[in-house]
Amino acid sequence: MKGLAAGIGVVFLSPILLAGTGMMLASSADAVQSNSSFSSCLSDIDSDKIAEQVTKILDGASDKDVHVEGLDLPAEQVPNAATIVATGLSLDVPKKGQIIALATAMQESRLRNLGSGDRDSLGLFQQRPSQGWGSAQQIRDPVYASEQFYKHLLKVDGWQQMTVTQAAQTVQKSGLPDAYAQWESLATALQSAIAKTFPGADDADGKDTNQGEKPSTGCTPGQDGSGFGRIPEGSVPKGYSIPKDADPKARKAIEWAMHQLGTLYQWGGSCTNAHGPDPMGRCDCSSLMQQAYAHAGITLTRTTYTQVGEGKAVSPAHLKPGDLIFSRGTAARPEHVGMYMGEGLVIEAPRTTKPVRITPIKDWDILAARRIL
């Protein structure tokens, strides 16, 4: 890493990356425009094409000579992206952290070092001096701004188990918490293309457990459950069926859980007789998971706090039917659990006064996911 860091230091001082305040700062009108939502999802990204264009930019090509889908001023935006990646590499931030940083900067500034924004927001990440991010001059330094973002991200407990948009929102606390997802595919392609320009970057990132995974863009309704529309509590959404390729034991667990739909939540309930007269026979979130798997011949521990240690960890981007997903609290000590059903849906016993129900996964802030089978 020492050799890599030295190389990165040279990059930071290059004319392309530090082109001067006059070139890099945008007007207030640009800031307002750049914070609007992107018009379409960038889910079909040609990574090889982006790598080719990124190389041209870093070699000094102008906007007239290159085109990168999603970037309207690549000659300005790509060097800023390179600064973010280089800073991440120098701090030993895993690949996923660099992707989160890129997606955040795309949403906040369109990868432009803005001189203004909402209230006193500035720079690539629209950080605010009044919120303790540093002085206005510091925040306008792309390296400093990137370092500050990474330092805040690394303090988030369980950030590597979160989706890109959840991790970004935890740091940024944006008024548009779901907006970061639309940039994940482009951020992934940019990170890959830029990291390859730094010798040893692949080796330095060897500890990243998310390498090789395709990003979950949050763009496809069929993948996030939104395509089913509003789901009446206690009912099965029209058109849903357990995926044919689901593990047979996961199928049994899901089927059993679905038979408990509509029964009221009971904190501490055993879920052994959810339709019976005794409230303590009803389900809470973890007992629903325990009993569903018990009917599939699998033994689970009783509480959410212990179930988060069952099976093996999986990425929320690659869930399979039967996987347990956790929310509320922290990744190490979550307070709620549900079971992924496939088709972007989750079955859960939500809370007091609410029945066992099916909800779209887009409504979940996933802290961790575990594969039992």
Side-chain angles (χ1 to χ4, degrees):
M1 278 304 296
K2 289 184 179 179
L4 175 62
I8 291 172
V10 174
V11 174
F12 284 162
L13 296 176
S14 71
I16 294 177
L17 290 183
L18 298 181
T21 303
M23 283 183 62
M24 302 300 284
L25 298 184
S27 66
S28 297
D30 289 333
V32 172
Q33 181 179 2
S34 69
N35 281 324
S36 62
S37 179
F38 185 66
S39 59
S40 64
C41 273
L42 293 172
S43 57
D44 187 16
I45 293 293
D46 186 339
S47 298
D48 292 336
K49 181 68 173 178
I50 286 179
E52 176 188 333
Q53 299 302 303
V54 164
T55 300
K56 288 182 179 179
I57 286 290
L58 296 180
D59 285 342
S62 70
D63 289 330
K64 296 179 180 179
D65 302 320
V66 298
H67 172 72
V68 179
E69 184 181 3
L71 302 182
D72 54 355
L73 295 170
E76 178 181 343
Q77 294 162 306
V78 170
N80 283 331
T83 297
I84 293 171
V85 172
T87 304
L89 291 171
S90 69
L91 295 174
D92 289 333
V93 177
K95 176 180 177 180
K96 181 172 181 178
Q98 297 168 38
I99 293 170
I100 293 168
L102 287 170
T104 300
M106 288 179 202
Q107 174 57 27
E108 298 293 349
S109 70
R110 296 300 184 268
L111 283 171
R112 302 185 68 189
N113 196 10
L114 300 177
S116 60
D118 178 44
R119 287 169 283 191
D120 59 336
S121 300
L122 298 166
L124 290 175
F125 297 92
Q126 289 292 278
Q127 295 156 340
R128 299 177 59 191
S130 64
Q131 299 300 310
W133 287 94
S135 69
Q137 182 177 5
Q138 287 175 319
I139 292 172
R140 289 193 184 107
D141 176 355
V143 177
Y144 173 89
S146 300
E147 288 177 342
Q148 289 301 304
F149 179 85
Y150 285 127
K151 288 177 181 179
H152 282 73
L153 174 66
L154 295 176
K155 291 179 181 178
V156 175
D157 188 20
W159 69 268
Q160 291 199 63
Q161 285 73 50
M162 296 180 182
T163 63
V164 167
T165 193
Q166 289 163 357
Q169 172 62 8
T170 301
V171 174
Q172 297 294 108
K173 298 177 176 59
S174 168
L176 298 171
D178 299 320
Y180 304 102
Q182 64 189 318
W183 301 105
E184 185 175 347
S185 288
L186 179 56
T188 301
L190 284 174
Q191 191 281 334
S192 178
I194 293 167
K196 290 175 182 176
T197 67
F198 297 109
D202 291 339
D203 294 338
D205 196 37
K207 61 189 175 185
D208 185 2
T209 59
N210 293 290
Q211 288 190 29
E213 294 183 351
K214 294 181 180 179
S216 172
T217 65
C219 293
T220 307
Q223 295 176 349
D224 65 9
S226 61
F228 290 99
R230 181 182 174 277
I231 304 172
E233 287 191 335
S235 67
V236 179
K238 185 177 180 180
Y240 169 78
S241 61
I242 301 173
K244 294 180 179 179
D245 59 352
D247 184 283
K249 291 185 177 179
R251 178 180 295 275
K252 286 185 179 180
I254 294 170
E255 288 176 345
W256 188 89
M258 289 172 66
H259 282 103
Q260 317 315 311
L261 285 169
T263 61
L264 283 178
Y265 174 97
Q266 175 61 51
W267 185 84
S270 65
C271 203
T272 53
N273 189 13
H275 295 276
D278 182 1
M280 296 311 295
R282 298 173 189 164
C283 310
D284 65 13
C285 65
S286 55
S287 66
L288 178 63
M289 304 299 105
Q290 182 189 48
Q291 291 303 315
Y293 265 109
H295 284 77
I298 304 294
T299 300
L300 293 185
T301 52
R302 172 63 182 84
T303 69
T304 303
Y305 305 136
T306 55
Q307 288 176 3
V308 75
E310 302 274 7
K312 65 178 180 180
V314 293
S315 167
H318 294 276
L319 295 174
K320 292 183 179 180
D323 289 348
L324 303 186
I325 61 173
F326 299 83
S327 66
R328 306 175 198 163
T330 66
R333 193 172 174 80
E335 298 173 359
H336 186 55
V337 61
M339 183 183 295
Y340 185 63
M341 305 171 62
E343 304 295 330
L345 298 176
V346 183
I347 190 165
E348 62 169 342
R351 61 182 182 274
T352 302
T353 75
K354 292 292 184 178
V356 174
R357 66 185 183 184
I358 294 172
T359 53
I361 201 168
K362 70 180 182 64
D363 292 344
W364 282 68
D365 291 326
I366 303 175
L367 299 176
R370 306 293 296 189
R371 181 156 298 152
I372 305 303
L373 301 172

